[in-house]
Structures are given as C-alpha cells and as structure tokens.
Amino acid sequence: MTTIEIIQVLLFFGLGIALTPIVGSFMAKVYKGERTFLQPIFLPVEKLIYRLTGIDPNEEMTWLRYFWAVLLFATVGFVSTMAVFMTQARLPLNPQKLPNCSWHLAFMQAWSFTCNADWQSYAGETTMSYFSQIFGIMVHQFLSGAAGLAVLVAVGRALKRASIKSVGSFWVDLTRGLLYFVIPLSAVWAIPLAWQGVPQSWKPYHTASLMEPYTAQVQKTDDKGQPVTTNIQVVAQAPKLDASGKPVLTNGVAVMVDVPQVDAKGQPVMTNAPVMVDARVETASIPIGPVASFVSIKQLFTNGGGWFNVNSAHPFENPTPFTDFWEMLAIIIVPMAQVYMFGLLVGNKKHAWCLFNVMLALYILSFVGAWYFDTRPNPVTGGLAVNMEGKEQRIGVMNSLLWGTSCTAIDNGSVNSMHDSWMPLAGLMPLWNILIGEMLFGGIGCGMYCMLFHVLITVFIAGLMIGRTPEYLGKKLDAWCATWAVIGVLVPNIAALIPTAIAVMIPQGLSSMNNGGPHGLTEVLYCFGEAANNNGSAFAGLNANTPFYNIGAGIVIWIGRFIPIISALAIVGRLASKKTVEASSGTLPTHGWTFGLTLTGVILVVAALTFFPALCLGPIVEHGLMAAGRVF
C-alpha cells in the first residue's frame, strides 16, 4: 500500500469518527423534537403535514401498532412502485421510449426499494425511464431510509422508558427524519457531485458516432421488437471420464466438460436461450439523467442502487478521485452517527461507544483481510501481485477494496468494482460482512437494532455464566426477549441458506450461473445473503433477472426487512413496560473491554456456526483450487 493510499484510509476513517458525535447529536435533537437551526424553516411544514394528514403528533403507538404502521407504509409503497414499473411506457419522462418492466422484475424491484435493499436485477440506463428512476426508485431511497431510522428511534426511546406501553409515533418519527435530516443532507451532499461532473439533467440520451465501428452479437428481435428465444437443453460442467469411467486428469486436476442435463425420467431439461445475430455498431448512446441527486441519497442512506448498470464504477456516476472519496465517505457518515444517537436516546453513551468500537474493529478487520488476500500473487495469472480484473484503472485496488468492504459492512449496495473478480478469500470478506447480519454500523436503523439482538444474546450468556437474571440498561430480560432476539438473528439466516440450497439443485437456479463450481455457489449465496440482509450489492456473475431469482429474492428481501423490525419492536415494547432496576454488583456492565470482547465472540461464533459449511464449499475451497491452477 502506497503512502497516498495510507493517507486516504486514515482520512476516511478519521473523518467518519470525527463527524460521529456531531451528526449523531443533531439526529438525536431532531427526533426528540428539540430546537435546531432548521426548525424555523421546516417546523411550519411539519405542522402543515400533520394537519393535512390528520396525524396527532401527541398520540403515541404501542409496539405492535408501530409495526403495523411500518408494514402498511411499505406495502402501499410496494404496490404503487410496482404499478409504476409495469406502466412506465405510458408514463411521462421517458424520452428513450423504454418498455414496461416484466411483472417479476417489477415485483422484485418494488420490494427491493421499499425495503431499503436496492438490489438491482437490471441495467438502469436501458431498463428504467426517468420517471421510474425518480418516482419509483429515488423516492423510496428517501422514504425507506427515513423509515429505518424511525424504527431505531422507537427502539432507543422505548429502552429509556419504564412502565409505559407506547414507543412513539411512526408518522411523527418518519416526518421529522425526512424534513430535518434526510432531505437537507442529501441536497447538500449532491452539490459537490454535480460540481465534479456527475450529470444532473432531464434531457434525452446523447448519440455519439464511433471512431471505430465494430460488429457485435445482439439478441434477435421479431417484427414487433420483442426478443427472440429458442428452447435448448441445459448443460452443466462435470469431470470428463475415460473408457473405464474414471475422471481424466491434467496435472492432477480433473478435466471438465459440458454435460447435457436430463430429469428423473431421462428427458432433456430445457430452457429458453436468446437467439443472437451479428450487428454492425456505428453509434453509441450516452446515458445521462438527474444522476447527482440520485447518487447523493443512495450513498448517504444505505440504498446503493446505481443509476447506471455498473453503479459507481461508471465514469458519469463517479468521475473523479474526489467523487470517489466523497461517495465513500457518504457511506459511513449516517450509520456511524446512528450509534452515537442511540447512546443519547437510551442515556448511555459509554454503551454506545462500546458498540461503536466492536463494529469498527470488525469493519477494519474485513478491509485488512480483503486488502491482504487481493494483493497476494495469483498463480493462475503467472504470479501477478496486482489483481486488476473487475476494477477501474482510475480507482485502483485499495479504493476498490475499501469501498467493497464498506458497502457490505454498512448495508450500502453501491460498488465501484466487481466483487465477482476479487481473489476468492478477498471476496469472502464482503460476503462475510453481509452474512453476519450487516451490523458493522450496518443499514440506516437496521444496523443498530440487528446489533441489539446479539447484545441481548451476549447479556443472556453472561447471565447464565454467573447464575443471575440478565439485565440490559436497567431492565430484567425474560424468555420473551430471548425468543425474539433469536428470531431476529436466525430467520434472516435461514432465508439466505434455504433458497441458496434450492437454487443449486434445480435448473431454474443453475441456468443463471455464469460460473461453475465453488465460485458459482458463492454467487448464489451472495445473492440470497444480500437479499436477506437488505444490502443490494452483487457478485455480478449471476443473471438474477429471471422469474426464479426475482420472485425468490423479492420474498427473501421482505423477510429480511420485516422480521428484524417486528423482533426489535417486540423486545423493546416488552422492556418499556417494565420497571427500571438499580444496577448492583452482579449487573454486567455493557461497556468496556470485557463486554466488547464477549460481544465480538458471540457475533463471530453465531455466524461461523451458521455459515461456515457454506463458506467452505464456496470461497475457501475455491482458494485452494486456485492455488492448484483451477479457475471458474
């Protein structure tokens, strides 16, 4: 790592840590309804919203009513967004005349953006109109982030209360977050991006003449412009066998060949494949749009869905070294600050800083691991020490790895390189960040309340070890809290593993894999892992725009969003109704090195016991095969 790269890393983490108490304090004041410098501007607007919608800002909700409000809000957003995607050809702001989305793509993307996952099974510049990008996607990048923060505020508020059954008002928390924080910060952050050259335009795409025309294969279309497909037999790679039925080896490694697949009755397994034809390419379409404002909100509030297909690896979405750093910094600002805000809401900043340090340590460890493994010599490419496959030359290795581990530690699906091309154990690092629950600061709101589950499990384990009823922030924990904490951890994990197992056993899952062997398994596990944990990034080697993956991942996204929310609200609703007890000599302090190390151990053990077998079959065995000269 060069000197300038070390300076960038130190500046990146240094600014994130320095801004944490500043931004966190402001967020706490906003949600407590205290006066801020924005109140003279937005307080009249806030009151007008309450008056127009009939909301009583003084009326609070029980935890269950709060959850139903969150679910109703998301469901209405899902239905309206799916309708936009399926009718965009007839809607305004479609200068490129893009067709409607298929029903399964619309289903997937509607849940993806309303649930703050922002997983994309499409190329934005060739699939979504300006109307869909702004009113179907960008609107939810504001709303879903604000909804996640609202849930965290309810959690923090309830933990501070005693003998009260209410946790606050979702509509008030949502409104305040949007008006005083989400919208203003996004608007300010977009200005430097536009200054640096990120497009901010409503004009149609430009057409440029190529200096060197070329011939390329494109999918054939019929007279109505619809893609032409043909029915072909599915094939899968298998070892080549000699006359005696033994695998043919080359340098000790089995030679792989394509084998046509048949079902249990011996009938060919068929799938639709596009019919490709040669086409002379003499012009190129230069996509633009209101990209700067889109990038600002997607980075700040852990959305991550890109305006362009290659996301922030695209030179329009991320044109300069400054925008690369600015967009990366946006990933960590609010997630880090929410931990400090949580400490202010529960009245225990020491506990918040303890959680902050655990998250930061695991986060930095994942970056160091990715950097180490991706800069080791690759025996397959003649021992080259620099792996530039899938990375932009102008961005480089270090900034690609820092971004990749940041966007997965912090539940932000943006990318500036393709994780699919990282070295196997380097690619394990972002996958690991996702699978442990994306709580290394994590998503907006969800990162903290998902960490809460592990905190409670840690407190329970410590209580069992010393033979005392466990306590957390002055409240006695019971079986109700333990049950919901386990549900919040295990259900998303199950939602990641079961669809992965199904996908690698059926033709509908296998036909989308561009790579075989352990690498293909990693691609599928990454897909459903990020869906279950609402990330949105991709390994980029899997064709997920199929009915199987769109429907499957859409359902998993729903599970990964709402099961942790109801679990967190059920826990704090129970604790808010209890009396606060005074700390005693037998109370486990929830700050300091002892608790921090114990919490770290619980996080690692729970994730390892759940995912280690799958990881062994994926990136770990791929690393060993790579050392033997095998690639996938």
Side-chain angles (χ1 to χ4, degrees):
M1 191 179 291
T2 64
T3 302
I4 188 64
E5 290 175 336
I6 294 174
I7 293 173
Q8 283 181 270
V9 172
L10 295 176
L11 187 62
F12 174 74
F13 285 108
L15 284 174
I17 295 170
L19 290 171
T20 291
I22 299 172
V23 180
S25 297
F26 179 79
M27 293 166 65
K29 288 183 179 180
V30 166
Y31 287 106
K32 288 180 179 179
E34 298 176 1
R35 183 175 179 82
T36 66
F37 68 94
L38 291 177
Q39 208 166 49
I41 302 172
F42 290 115
L43 184 59
V45 180
E46 181 185 356
K47 292 181 177 179
L48 179 61
I49 291 173
Y50 297 150
R51 189 177 302 115
L52 293 176
T53 56
I55 295 171
D56 181 0
N58 297 315
E59 181 184 0
E60 295 199 347
M61 302 174 175
T62 63
W63 73 266
L64 188 57
R65 188 180 168 199
Y66 200 102
F67 171 74
W68 283 121
V70 175
L71 184 59
L72 174 63
F73 181 72
T75 302
V76 172
F78 161 75
V79 172
S80 59
T81 304
M82 187 172 179
V84 167
F85 292 157
M86 294 183 67
T87 60
Q88 69 173 9
R90 298 184 181 89
L91 297 175
L93 297 177
N94 186 10
Q96 301 309 120
K97 309 298 181 185
L98 295 174
N100 298 329
C101 297
S102 64
W103 71 268
H104 55 85
L105 177 62
F107 172 86
M108 162 64 182
Q109 299 308 149
W111 274 129
S112 179
F113 290 106
T114 55
C115 292
N116 200 232
D118 296 79
W119 161 270
Q120 293 174 290
S121 298
Y122 64 90
E125 64 268 45
T126 59
T127 306
M128 296 293 183
S129 66
Y130 286 173
F131 191 95
S132 293
Q133 293 267 49
I134 298 301
F135 296 100
I137 297 175
M138 189 173 172
V139 164
H140 284 296
Q141 292 182 327
F142 285 92
L143 296 178
S144 62
L149 273 176
V151 174
L152 175 59
V153 170
V155 169
R157 181 189 295 124
L159 289 173
K160 180 66 173 176
R161 293 179 170 182
S163 302
I164 298 177
K165 293 185 178 182
S166 61
V167 298
S169 170
F170 172 70
W171 308 117
V172 172
D173 293 337
L174 179 73
T175 303
R176 286 177 178 170
L178 281 169
L179 284 179
Y180 297 100
F181 186 60
V182 177
I183 294 175
L185 183 60
S186 300
V188 170
W189 213 270
I191 296 173
L193 297 176
W195 163 57
Q196 286 288 296
V198 179
Q200 184 68 22
S201 171
W202 294 93
K203 296 180 180 179
Y205 294 177
H206 296 295
T207 300
S209 298
L210 297 179
M211 297 180 64
E212 297 181 1
Y214 61 95
T215 300
Q217 281 206 324
V218 298
Q219 187 169 2
K220 184 179 180 180
T221 57
D222 57 22
D223 296 338
K224 297 180 180 180
Q226 298 299 313
V228 177
T229 61
T230 184
N231 210 23
I232 64 171
Q233 187 173 4
V234 175
V235 297
Q237 282 202 327
K240 182 179 180 180
L241 304 179
D242 58 20
S244 60
K246 296 181 179 180
V248 177
L249 303 179
T250 301
N251 295 326
V253 179
V255 176
M256 306 300 288
V257 294
D258 289 335
V259 177
Q261 298 297 291
V262 295
D263 59 22
K265 298 180 180 179
Q267 299 299 314
V269 177
M270 308 301 290
T271 186
N272 283 329
V275 176
M276 308 301 290
V277 295
D278 289 336
R280 183 69 173 170
V281 181
E282 297 180 346
T283 62
S285 179
I286 309 299
I288 54 174
V291 184
S293 56
F294 188 98
V295 172
S296 173
I297 182 62
K298 77 145 181 172
Q299 292 300 97
L300 282 167
F301 292 93
T302 64
N303 296 289
W307 184 277
F308 302 104
N309 185 34
V310 293
N311 212 284
S312 288
H314 197 289
F316 287 178
E317 198 162 318
N318 183 12
T320 68
F322 176 81
T323 60
D324 190 75
F325 185 84
W326 190 248
E327 290 179 27
M328 260 200 307
L329 185 63
I331 295 175
I332 67 173
I333 292 298
V334 182
M336 283 185 168
Q338 72 180 353
V339 182
Y340 189 83
M341 178 193 73
F342 177 78
L344 295 177
L345 292 176
V346 301
N348 194 332
K349 288 193 290 185
K350 288 184 178 180
H351 176 53
W353 279 118
C354 178
L355 300 182
F356 187 97
N357 290 331
V358 170
M359 295 175 175
L360 183 63
L362 292 174
Y363 174 16
I364 293 177
L365 187 63
S366 70
F367 165 64
V368 172
W371 175 82
Y372 175 82
F373 290 117
D374 210 61
T375 54
R376 298 305 94 191
N378 187 343
V380 178
T381 57
L384 293 178
V386 179
N387 175 31
M388 285 302 298
E389 181 192 343
K391 301 181 180 71
E392 282 288 305
Q393 187 74 33
R394 60 196 174 86
I395 294 173
V397 174
M398 189 282 292
N399 279 303
S400 297
L401 299 173
L402 182 58
W403 188 307
T405 49
S406 297
C407 78
T408 50
I410 301 184
D411 193 9
N412 180 299
S414 65
V415 295
N416 69 354
S417 68
M418 298 301 106
H419 303 168
D420 188 54
S421 295
W422 290 16
M423 299 280 274
L425 293 184
L428 171 62
M429 295 298 104
L431 177 59
W432 173 260
N433 288 343
I434 290 172
L435 295 179
I436 65 174
E438 288 198 275
M439 55 192 177
L440 309 184
F441 301 110
I444 298 299
C446 61
M448 266 305 304
Y449 58 72
C450 287
M451 174 60 81
L452 175 65
F453 303 141
H454 288 81
V455 170
L456 295 181
I457 293 172
T458 303
V459 172
F460 264 99
I461 292 174
L464 292 173
M465 293 175 65
I466 63 176
R468 289 181 59 93
T469 302
E471 300 173 13
Y472 178 60
L473 299 179
K475 303 292 180 64
K476 295 285 187 180
L477 303 179
D478 54 20
W480 172 277
C481 299
T483 301
W484 279 109
V486 172
I487 290 173
V489 172
L490 293 187
V491 171
N493 292 348
I494 293 170
L497 288 174
I498 291 180
T500 299
I502 295 173
V504 297
M505 291 191 298
I506 63 174
Q508 292 86 344
L510 294 170
S511 61
S512 289
M513 295 166 58
N514 292 324
N515 301 92
H519 195 83
L521 173 64
T522 303
E523 291 171 350
V524 178
L525 178 60
Y526 196 104
C527 169
F528 288 109
E530 66 79 27
N533 294 285
N534 290 171
N535 179 261
S537 66
F539 233 55
L542 183 75
N543 173 27
N545 191 11
T546 66
F548 172 78
Y549 281 101
N550 279 331
I551 297 170
I555 294 172
V556 171
I557 284 173
W558 190 96
I559 294 171
R561 176 68 165 179
F562 295 109
I563 294 302
I565 287 177
I566 191 174
S567 300
L569 290 174
I571 291 170
V572 299
R574 180 82 159 192
L575 295 179
S577 65
K578 293 188 174 187
K579 295 180 180 179
T580 302
V581 296
E582 292 293 332
S584 66
S585 57
T587 301
L588 173 69
T590 54
H591 59 271
W593 285 103
T594 301
F595 183 80
L597 290 174
T598 306
L599 174 60
T600 302
V602 168
I603 293 171
L604 296 178
V605 169
V606 169
L609 290 174
T610 307
F611 294 107
F612 187 69
L615 295 175
C616 283
L617 295 173
I620 294 176
V621 73
E622 184 185 358
H623 174 78
L625 292 172
M626 181 192 71
R630 284 288 305 280
V631 293
F632 298 90

